[in-house]
Amino acid sequence: MKFAFYELTLNVMMRMISGKRYFGSDNLELEEEGRRFREILDESFVLAGASNVGDYLPVLSWLGVKSLEKKLIKLQEKRDAFFQGLIEQLRKSKGAEDVNKRKTMIEVLLSLQESEPEYYTDAMIRNFVLVLLAAGTDTSAGTMEWVMSLLLNHPQVLKKAQNEINSVIGNKRLVDESDIPNLPYLRCIINETLRLFPAGPLLVPHEASSDCVVGGYNIPRGAMLIINQWAIHHDPKVWNEPETFKPERFEGLEGTRDGFKLLPFGSGRRSCPGEGLAVQMLGMALGSIIQCFDWERTSEELVDMTEGPGLTMPKAIPLVAKCKPRKHMTNLLSELRVD
């Protein structure tokens, strides 16, 4: 399931960024480019979770312990070459573009480059694209995998979600982006999953802008702070039965906020700017597969919910599931085609 969700999120992000759909295409050239692209991202996630000992003990760097640093430099060279290739492709096709066609993100940035070349440099565009991909792919795919794992272990919740979609949308069309606000129980499921298994269990580091006191501790200006949102989400002083999967606890709550109790995207001015996109992508993808298919575990045993190591807290054992088209959706599914 994670593999399928990962390719889905990569396709969505790359369609927005460069207009390309790497996976599920019959274009062999695109598939090869997509293979290189995925290798670069996979390596990025592996190395992003590693610590360079030389950053903490510089003497080790002086003694020649620089293997991770060399790998990071080599990875950056590969990333720069790949994304620069995308920029050059779109730059060459810029003159022949259809004025009525929606621009990709790189095309928008290249247009801005014409008026502000000193700011919108190729390096800035490359790094901007990398940040979008690093923050918006593995996190969403991992959350979808956790959602499906929880639903397979709680079939009554899955059935309730299907009933909600049936009553709101029916079987004549698929879930649409505009339907997401009208599916509150689906949103409850997503919120509860983000509480139990946040995509970023430790929020990105923040710097204290001034001296302050937090929980009785003096925090000096300039100190780097890391928020353990996983601990907050599992705190029995904050949540009733924190280890229990209960989507109903979020009924009546607008959005993904509940004071400072629920922080899947952080909070304040430095919260995740991709929250809106992530929520829409999760709602669309999960709503579609819940609407179209009946899902089962591969055995009588519950899905293993052990958390694995990593920045985005993946499942230790990847999810494998069985599905079949729902009877009243077979006609609609037979009419679908891939563009």
Side-chain angles (χ1 to χ4, degrees):
M1 294 297 295
K2 177 66 176 292
F3 183 84
F5 290 142
Y6 191 38
E7 290 195 344
L8 167 66
T9 54
L10 288 177
N11 272 342
V12 171
M13 295 300 292
M14 288 306 292
R15 285 288 289 270
M16 291 189 295
I17 290 168
S18 66
K20 295 191 175 187
R21 182 179 188 274
Y22 284 133
F23 308 104
S25 169
D26 293 329
N27 188 319
L28 296 180
E29 185 177 341
L30 270 182
E31 281 193 6
E32 175 58 23
E33 190 175 314
R35 183 189 62 77
R36 288 173 45 224
F37 168 63
R38 178 160 184 165
E39 287 176 357
I40 289 172
L41 279 189
D42 288 345
E43 189 176 354
S44 297
F45 284 119
V46 170
L47 293 181
S51 295
N52 186 0
V53 178
D55 290 340
Y56 305 98
L57 298 173
V59 67
L60 295 182
S61 294
W62 300 337
L63 295 174
V65 184
K66 289 193 172 184
S67 59
L68 176 59
E69 185 176 336
K70 290 179 180 178
K71 289 179 181 178
L72 289 169
I73 291 173
K74 187 175 180 180
L75 171 63
Q76 186 61 29
E77 291 173 350
K78 287 194 291 186
R79 290 192 299 211
D80 283 347
F82 183 87
F83 294 127
Q84 187 63 40
L86 291 179
I87 292 172
E88 295 301 335
Q89 290 173 24
L90 291 169
R91 181 177 280 138
K92 289 178 182 178
S93 64
K94 193 171 184 298
E97 66 184 14
D98 183 354
V99 293
N100 296 318
K101 173 180 170 287
R102 289 186 178 180
K103 289 184 177 181
T104 65
M105 191 166 294
I106 291 179
E107 288 171 332
V108 171
L109 293 172
L110 287 175
S111 297
L112 293 170
Q113 189 181 69
E114 295 176 359
S115 58
E116 299 181 66
E118 70 286 349
Y119 181 77
Y120 291 98
T121 63
D122 283 4
M124 177 271 188
I125 296 174
R126 292 196 304 267
N127 291 325
F128 188 61
V129 169
L130 177 61
V131 169
L132 291 175
L133 290 169
T137 53
D138 194 66
T139 50
S140 294
T143 299
M144 292 179 199
E145 185 184 29
W146 283 117
V147 169
M148 290 306 298
S149 300
L150 288 164
L151 292 180
L152 289 172
N153 281 350
H154 300 83
Q156 75 282 2
V157 175
L158 174 58
K159 188 64 179 177
K160 187 173 178 179
Q162 287 179 328
N163 290 338
E164 177 183 66
I165 293 174
N166 290 345
S167 62
V168 174
I169 299 166
N171 57 12
K172 302 299 182 183
R173 63 178 180 86
L174 295 177
V175 172
D176 189 74
E177 185 176 333
S178 60
D179 295 315
I180 304 304
N182 299 320
L183 300 172
Y185 191 65
L186 176 63
R187 186 62 178 271
C188 290
I189 292 171
I190 294 172
N191 281 352
E192 180 69 339
T193 302
L194 289 170
R195 183 188 69 81
L196 285 168
F197 303 101
L202 300 178
L203 296 178
V204 294
H206 288 65
E207 181 178 332
S209 57
S210 61
D211 295 342
C212 57
V213 178
V214 179
Y217 293 90
N218 292 317
I219 308 297
R221 176 182 179 180
M224 297 305 294
L225 308 174
I226 297 178
I227 308 300
N228 186 343
Q229 68 160 320
W230 188 96
I232 296 172
H233 290 181
H234 289 255
D235 189 344
K237 296 178 181 178
V238 177
W239 299 95
N240 180 37
E241 298 181 79
E243 302 304 322
T244 303
F245 178 60
K246 293 197 304 183
E248 289 76 10
R249 74 171 83 235
F250 289 103
E251 289 179 341
L253 175 67
E254 292 295 327
T256 57
R257 296 285 190 272
D258 191 4
F260 291 108
K261 296 165 54 179
L262 185 68
L263 302 167
F265 299 99
S267 187
R269 291 182 300 167
R270 297 294 182 265
S271 62
C272 176
E275 177 179 351
L277 175 61
V279 170
Q280 288 294 336
M281 190 181 298
L282 291 170
M284 282 286 292
L286 293 167
S288 297
I289 62 176
I290 290 172
Q291 177 190 26
C292 295
F293 300 97
D294 283 319
W295 295 88
E296 295 179 4
R297 300 191 295 267
T298 56
S299 69
E300 294 297 320
E301 296 182 7
L302 293 177
V303 174
D304 190 302
M305 302 299 287
T306 305
E307 303 156 350
L311 289 175
T312 55
M313 201 172 69
K315 287 182 87 278
I317 301 176
L319 174 64
V320 179
K322 296 190 297 184
C323 71
K324 62 181 180 181
R326 300 179 72 193
K327 288 183 179 180
H328 62 273
M329 295 298 296
T330 52
N331 290 337
L332 184 59
L333 288 172
S334 66
E335 298 171 2
L336 295 181
R337 66 181 180 86
V338 178
D339 293 327

